[in-house]
Amino acid sequence: MNILKKSILASCTLLSCGLVASQAQSNVMEIQILQPKKEIAIQPNMWGIFFEDINFAADGGLYAEMVKNRSFEFINSPLMGWIVYGPNEIRTEQPCFDRNPHYIRLSNQGLRSGTGLVNEGFRGMGVVKDETYRVVFYARTVETPEMKVQFELMNSDGNNGGRVEIMVNSSNWTKYEAILTASRTDEKARLRVNTRNLGTIDVDHISMFPSKTWKNRENGLRLDLAQALADLSPKVFRFPGGCIIEGNTLETRYNWKNSVGPVENRPINENRWNYTFQHRFTPDYFQTYGLGFFEFFQFCEDIGADALPVVSCGLACQYESKEKVAFEDLNCYVQDALDLIEFANGPVTSTWGKVRADMGHPEAFNLKMIGIGNEQWGEDFPKYLNEFIVAIRAKYPEIKIVGSSGPQSDGKDFDYLWPEMKRLKVDLVDEHYYRDPNWFLSNARRYDNYDRKGPKVFAGEYACHDGRDKHNTFYSALCEAAFMTGLERNADVVHLATYAPLFAHIDAWQWRPDMIWYDNLRSVKSANYYVQQLYSTHAGTHVWDAISNGKTLAGEEGIYASVVRDSKSNQIILKVANTQKEKKAVKINLSSIKASISNQATHILFKSELGNENTLENPNLAVPVQQQIEIANKVLATEINSESFNIYILNMN
Ligand code: AHR
């Protein structure tokens, strides 16, 4: 596993068996590992990720486009992100793209300043010395035989950082491309577009991507961020939100149909995180849909995750508005959901299957499930949801449907919605909990008594909010790790789990904590990332029991534990969180395991100061480390580090 340093932390005090013998017997916790009579199978896609377009996660984040407002379509602000000099005009007559009609007319009349424009990027543009960048734009000359256009990287000190010239020589809209090479590394470069002779041109869709994107796709994803997601080994991928699928108004809900087809003609949408939190006001936050549903499905396929798209149920975000579509008009929302399934899975001869095929993917994406609504509450939701269920079950009985239990982990709305979800027979119920450390530590038994016969649980958004500032502290990650033993122990009822939110740009975030932070060049994995990764890469296939004094461990003496068997690797994987300030002597008794156990085992220790937080400058404050340990006579006697999360990987023969 590449994230794990194969060194031993100086602070690691793991002891092999004999050393603990000196401990007073009463202080040693005995943990028995038992194979249950009937093993619970763990869903192969249990651990995943939730991509939400918040904190510049799509435009300015995972989507590798470097030009902000490339199509001059930002609502009511067609020049936002641009500095324009010389005679210019925003126009819409005879546009290049009918659904993105704005373009800019530049007239070079020989003024001393020249005529052109500069794009500021998403809080700058990150460029790397000697790397290349692919510029694409559309232009036409206007009563001008030809116009030389120069594209120039401007470094943050104002100096030139690489330039290229292109001749525009057609009075019809034409696509032009060029390659720019950066002469310097700069996190906050800008792009200048300059006309080089007298005359007039119209320009639209000015785009620049790094040549190196994930899988080198032209409309691609930022390499380091996509790789960080792939390294999580997620098996399910929920997208594209969150509240954005609802919209603050129905008109501005995420409209997946606008997010497919040629990228230049995908119409802009506002992003509700633009203005929702006034203390984190982000007026330049829009959705170009450049990272759209095709790209999401393709990425799921790339990383081997099941796609879980979520669509509006016809209710706008209930925190912000009471707007809902009239019940008799709900059909077009239901149709959107049906069409989405057709887009993903339909034959190339179907309307939406053809759209997918025309985008280069004739094979089906093998969609298995769909979420209807996000954090809804009240009586309208079950009533509206039922219409979707009836239509989807009739046409696509194999598709699983995810309902919602509202925005809270418990309380009136939650208590109303769960029985409703059972009545409607949804397959999974999405639960959300953004709660404090105490909640996470005291809820490790949350699912022990859940009804096994009803819908399954999708822990769709959760994160431990540590303190007023909600940083991604090691403590928050430790509390999540402890809580997640309870998800794992209850894998027969908890079928899917995804931390939230996923991404945040350090200069443009609205919400924290978040799993991965980045600027325009670098990214950092939070302690919470590593907990998610440790679970997803040690998921196992079947739940076993870890018992002490006849009870599973969900906080007894500060210890939380779960254990799984992995039928593919023939391993037993024990996860133990110690939330106490003192280390804990334990004797892990493996004698009831029929198979013989290899003497060599692996211990992964995740420990840091509770307040530590990985940052771009200091990314390795909280990183798991791995070492080999010895087991003798089916007993692992050890000390669990104080305030640590541990994984023991035992090999059966
Ligand atoms: O993750 C941030 C927001 O939290 C999501 O959009 C919403 O579903 C929840 O309220």
Side-chain angles (χ1 to χ4, degrees):
M1 211 177 137
N2 57 9
I3 58 138
L4 297 172
K5 287 188 202 155
K6 296 210 170 174
S7 61
I8 303 174
L9 265 188
S11 63
C12 172
T13 56
L14 186 89
L15 301 179
S16 61
C17 28
L19 294 179
V20 195
S22 60
Q23 294 274 340
Q25 194 62 29
S26 57
N27 288 339
V28 179
M29 174 183 269
E30 171 147 359
I31 303 176
Q32 271 197 307
I33 304 298
L34 301 175
Q35 176 168 10
K37 282 203 185 81
K38 196 163 173 265
E39 284 184 324
I40 294 172
I42 298 169
Q43 296 303 305
N45 58 356
M46 175 163 179
W47 304 109
I49 49 185
F50 164 44
F51 178 92
E52 174 173 20
D53 191 2
I54 188 172
N55 305 320
F56 272 27
D59 294 277
L62 183 60
Y63 186 49
E65 172 64 85
M66 299 167 78
V67 176
K68 185 170 72 183
N69 195 10
R70 64 186 173 191
S71 300
F72 305 99
E73 297 294 338
F74 277 14
I75 298 161
N76 298 325
S77 307
L79 282 174
M80 189 181 268
W82 297 96
I83 296 170
V84 191
Y85 49 94
N88 70 85
E89 189 187 5
I90 292 290
R91 300 169 60 96
T92 55
E93 295 78 14
Q94 296 174 297
C96 192
F97 305 107
D98 60 341
R99 300 205 298 171
N100 278 331
H102 295 86
Y103 59 88
I104 191 161
R105 174 163 290 183
L106 301 172
S107 295
N108 185 331
Q109 297 166 4
L111 300 179
R112 215 177 274 174
S113 63
T115 300
L117 63 170
V118 178
N119 190 271
E120 66 185 18
F122 296 91
R123 307 295 190 272
M125 297 176 178
V127 293
V128 178
K129 185 174 179 334
D130 297 332
E131 292 289 342
T132 60
Y133 298 85
R134 198 171 48 81
V135 171
V136 170
F137 69 106
Y138 290 77
R140 68 180 169 200
T141 56
V142 181
E143 292 165 14
T144 303
E146 55 182 24
M147 174 70 83
K148 194 184 280 180
V149 183
Q150 184 183 73
F151 286 81
E152 179 185 13
L153 287 174
M154 292 167 65
N155 287 326
S156 41
D157 61 7
N159 287 326
N160 167 267
R163 59 167 73 111
V164 64
E165 286 185 341
I166 307 171
M167 191 64 85
V168 174
N169 51 14
S170 170
S171 57
N172 294 321
W173 283 112
T174 304
K175 182 178 182 180
Y176 296 88
E177 293 189 46
I179 296 292
L180 259 175
T181 304
S183 61
R184 230 177 70 180
T185 296
D186 197 326
E187 201 257 311
K188 291 207 183 286
R190 290 176 294 159
L191 179 69
R192 177 156 58 197
V193 186
N194 202 13
T195 54
R196 301 290 287 159
N197 55 268
L198 297 184
T200 299
I201 54 166
D202 293 336
V203 189
D204 200 359
H205 190 86
I206 303 174
S207 162
M208 184 168 78
F209 277 76
S211 301
K212 286 186 192 154
T213 58
W214 169 258
K215 304 262 178 206
N216 289 325
R217 297 206 176 99
E218 292 200 352
N219 187 49
L221 306 181
R222 194 175 129 172
L223 198 50
D224 60 330
L225 299 183
Q227 190 58 52
L229 299 188
D231 290 345
L232 274 169
S233 195
K235 295 295 181 285
V236 63
F237 189 102
R238 177 183 182 232
F239 60 90
C243 296
I244 65 154
I245 66 108
E246 304 160 313
N248 281 9
T249 62
L250 285 176
E251 197 195 338
T252 57
R253 72 191 186 278
Y254 193 101
N255 185 339
W256 77 264
K257 286 178 174 167
N258 285 345
S259 83
V260 297
V263 72
E264 299 87 344
N265 211 12
R266 299 181 190 172
I268 198 97
N269 193 16
E270 73 170 33
N271 187 312
R272 60 159 281 164
W273 300 111
N274 175 315
Y275 55 83
T276 297
F277 293 151
Q278 287 296 309
H279 63 293
R280 301 294 313 171
F281 192 48
T282 320
D284 55 341
Y285 200 176
F286 289 86
Q287 297 177 324
T288 63
Y289 287 136
L291 169 53
F293 267 39
F294 179 88
E295 290 77 19
F296 281 124
F297 281 124
Q298 193 175 43
F299 186 61
C300 289
E301 186 175 77
D302 289 343
I303 61 176
D306 287 338
L308 172 43
V310 190
V311 294
S312 162
C313 67
L315 304 174
C317 174
Q318 290 169 264
Y319 280 118
E320 304 291 329
S321 144
K322 292 196 178 352
E323 193 190 358
K324 58 183 179 188
V325 67
F327 187 67
E328 53 278 16
D329 296 332
L330 185 59
N331 187 43
C332 73
Y333 288 73
V334 174
Q335 193 59 47
D336 274 355
L338 295 174
D339 290 343
L340 175 58
I341 299 169
E342 183 176 288
F343 175 74
N345 291 354
V348 298
T349 48
S350 63
T351 307
W352 287 100
K354 179 171 182 327
V355 175
R356 182 193 71 240
D358 289 348
M359 293 182 76
H361 203 287
E363 308 81 18
F365 278 122
N366 192 21
L367 179 68
K368 297 176 190 148
M369 51 194 156
I370 187 169
I372 309 296
N374 177 44
E375 291 182 339
Q376 322 299 159
W377 62 82
E379 290 175 8
D380 284 327
F381 179 52
K383 182 175 164 194
Y384 281 41
L385 175 61
N386 185 49
E387 300 299 298
F388 289 81
I389 294 175
V390 170
I392 294 172
R393 298 268 191 247
K395 194 160 183 198
Y396 300 107
E398 71 285 4
I399 294 287
K400 289 193 173 157
I401 298 174
V402 182
S404 168
S405 57
Q408 310 298 340
S409 55
D410 45 34
K412 185 167 108 338
D413 297 321
F414 183 91
D415 292 343
Y416 166 70
L417 279 177
W418 250 105
E420 286 295 285
M421 295 301 109
K422 285 184 182 173
R423 179 178 66 80
L424 294 175
K425 295 193 172 52
V426 299
D427 298 288
L428 292 120
V429 177
D430 186 6
E431 294 192 355
H432 294 180
Y433 20 89
Y434 296 107
R435 304 296 298 264
D436 65 19
N438 286 339
W439 186 92
F440 275 85
L441 294 181
S442 55
N443 270 271
R445 291 201 187 279
R446 175 180 177 87
Y447 296 110
D448 287 7
N449 298 314
Y450 259 50
D451 179 4
R452 265 52 190 172
K453 298 200 184 83
K456 305 305 176 199
V457 172
F458 169 32
E461 294 185 27
Y462 64 93
C464 175
H465 285 188
D466 183 9
R468 208 166 60 86
D469 288 341
K470 301 174 187 164
H471 282 267
N472 285 93
T473 58
F474 174 74
Y475 186 48
S476 68
L478 177 62
C479 294
E480 287 155 9
F483 170 77
M484 288 162 74
T485 59
L487 301 185
E488 190 169 80
R489 267 191 300 106
N490 288 285
D492 54 338
V493 69
V494 180
H495 276 197
L496 304 174
T498 57
Y499 178 93
L502 185 58
F503 280 133
H505 191 300
I506 56 158
D507 293 329
W509 58 273
Q510 296 81 44
W511 179 293
R512 75 175 171 207
D514 306 289
M515 209 200 288
I516 299 166
W517 289 78
Y518 50 88
D519 63 14
N520 289 329
L521 285 178
R522 302 167 297 170
S523 50
V524 57
K525 296 162 176 168
S526 65
N528 314 77
Y529 174 100
Y530 289 113
V531 165
Q532 294 296 319
Q533 188 181 48
L534 288 171
Y535 270 89
S536 61
T537 53
H538 299 91
T541 53
H542 296 84
V543 181
W544 278 21
D545 295 328
I547 307 280
S548 184
N549 282 329
K551 279 174 78 176
T552 52
L553 286 159
E556 285 65 20
E557 299 178 42
I559 299 291
Y560 297 75
S562 56
V563 61
V564 298
R565 174 174 76 89
D566 191 318
S567 62
K568 288 168 281 176
S569 61
N570 205 24
Q571 291 172 324
I572 301 292
I573 303 167
L574 171 65
K575 302 184 179 78
V576 189
N578 179 6
T579 57
Q580 287 193 325
K581 288 198 184 323
E582 297 78 35
K583 44 192 170 179
K584 184 82 197 157
V586 294
K587 194 170 126 195
I588 299 166
N589 186 337
L590 308 165
S591 59
S592 78
I593 300 176
K594 287 192 200 94
S596 66
I597 305 281
S598 153
N599 287 347
Q600 290 290 312
T602 302
H603 172 213
I604 299 170
L605 170 68
F606 191 28
K607 175 167 174 60
S608 190
E609 294 297 315
L610 292 186
N612 276 355
E613 178 181 19
N614 293 337
T615 61
L616 290 171
E617 290 69 33
N618 210 346
N620 296 321
L621 273 180
V623 176
V625 294
Q626 175 173 313
Q627 67 171 348
Q628 291 305 114
I629 52 171
E630 295 271 328
I631 297 181
N633 302 324
K634 288 198 170 175
V635 172
L636 170 58
T638 187
E639 279 185 342
I640 311 277
N641 256 263
S642 60
E643 294 166 335
S644 69
F645 180 52
N646 303 266
I647 300 195
Y648 299 95
I649 304 163
L650 317 171
N651 300 303
M652 293 190 288
N653 299 313

